[in-house]
Structures are given as structure tokens and as C-alpha cells.
Amino acid sequence: MSHPATSHDHGHHHGPGQTHDHGHGHDHGPGGTTHTPVGLIALAWTLVGVPLAYGLFQTVKTASSLFTG
């Protein structure tokens, strides 16, 4: 059984000068950037920041009661 494409291109055709990157690297070149909506970033930071702030507040409150008696 012979395979016409013996290289490891898996059917992807790249022109001259194009890299063989399958999305595993960090391509920040022209046309390689993705823009995340600001609202999504704010939501993500809120989901992380609110429990973090609450936990820090509880920790400081508990620690201060240990030291002040």
C-alpha cells in the first residue's frame, strides 16, 4: 500500500514562507492575533476577583483577631 503524501503534512497545504504551526505556538504576527471582548475579560476577572477578595478579607479578619486577642 503506497501513500502519495509521505511527508507529515496531514493534508494541510502551506505556501512558501508559511510555517508548519498547527496552533500550538504563539503566533502574534500579522493576522495571527485574536481580540477578546472587553466584557468577557471583565466577567472573567469578576468571577475570579470577587471570591479572591472575599477570601482575603476573611483571612485578614481572622488573622487580626488572632493577633489582637
Side-chain angles (χ1 to χ4, degrees):
M1 211 160 144
S2 94
H3 298 283
T6 57
S7 66
H8 292 80
D9 65 353
H10 301 292
H12 298 288
H13 300 288
H14 296 285
Q18 289 182 318
T19 61
H20 205 90
D21 183 57
H22 292 282
H24 299 294
H26 298 284
D27 181 21
H28 294 292
T33 58
T34 58
H35 297 287
T36 306
V38 177
L40 184 62
I41 295 172
L43 177 66
W45 273 110
T46 302
L47 289 174
V48 172
V50 169
L52 179 64
Y54 177 76
L56 286 173
F57 174 73
Q58 292 297 322
T59 302
V60 170
K61 190 170 76 169
T62 304
S64 66
S65 70
L66 290 174
F67 289 112
T68 58

